[in-house]
Amino acid sequence: VVDSEPRASQSAGVLIDLSRREVLLDGDVLNLTYKEFELLNYLVENGARTVGRGELIGNLWSGAEDVPNERTIDVHIRRLRSKLGRLANTVRTVRGQGYRFYDHPEVVVWAAPEYSI
């Protein structure tokens, strides 16, 4: 669900603010690394489908000197999930295929009107 404006009352659950590049869990800003945010953002943008590790590497590490192996993606996913706490199950593993973002009633994705996803 993509809202056109953030909810002032949004204190429970996860708010993913794409324009500010912030993720809040129950009102507290999560200390995500740059890559963790990029990973979450990519999964949210492609929420209707499963994203393979190779695609994640190709899109998030394109042009990087040190291209990670597929297990590095697993480590980033594990760290991201631990930071998402009780809503970690919104980022799910699809066995043998990759990862997928699943909507949850407590997860709100906010993008500024000029920001299109």
Side-chain angles (χ1 to χ4, degrees):
V1 175
V2 177
D3 284 349
S4 58
E5 60 182 75
R7 297 179 189 162
S9 63
Q10 178 71 26
S11 58
V14 174
L15 171 66
I16 303 169
D17 187 336
L18 299 177
S19 59
R20 289 194 179 129
R21 301 183 58 79
E22 284 184 339
V23 178
L24 287 83
L25 174 63
D26 298 330
D28 296 323
V29 176
L30 297 182
N31 188 20
L32 298 185
T33 66
Y34 177 82
K35 283 298 182 193
E36 288 166 348
F37 182 86
E38 289 293 305
L39 188 56
L40 180 61
N41 185 32
Y42 194 83
L43 291 173
V44 167
E45 288 180 348
N46 293 281
R49 64 187 185 85
T50 300
V51 179
R53 291 179 183 90
E55 180 181 341
L56 289 168
I57 291 169
N59 283 282
L60 301 181
W61 278 269
S62 64
E65 286 185 26
D66 294 326
V67 176
N69 65 34
E70 293 188 352
R71 293 295 154 219
T72 303
I73 298 293
D74 300 344
V75 171
H76 282 284
I77 291 283
R78 188 172 65 244
R79 289 178 181 159
L80 177 60
R81 283 182 181 144
S82 78
K83 291 178 182 181
L84 289 172
R86 63 186 171 78
L87 294 171
N89 67 343
T90 57
V91 177
R92 295 189 190 165
T93 303
V94 179
R95 189 175 172 99
Q97 296 180 40
Y99 296 100
R100 187 173 192 160
F101 180 81
Y102 283 87
D103 282 333
H104 186 280
E106 288 189 75
V107 176
V108 174
V109 178
W110 185 73
E114 70 275 4
Y115 188 97
S116 61
I117 60 172

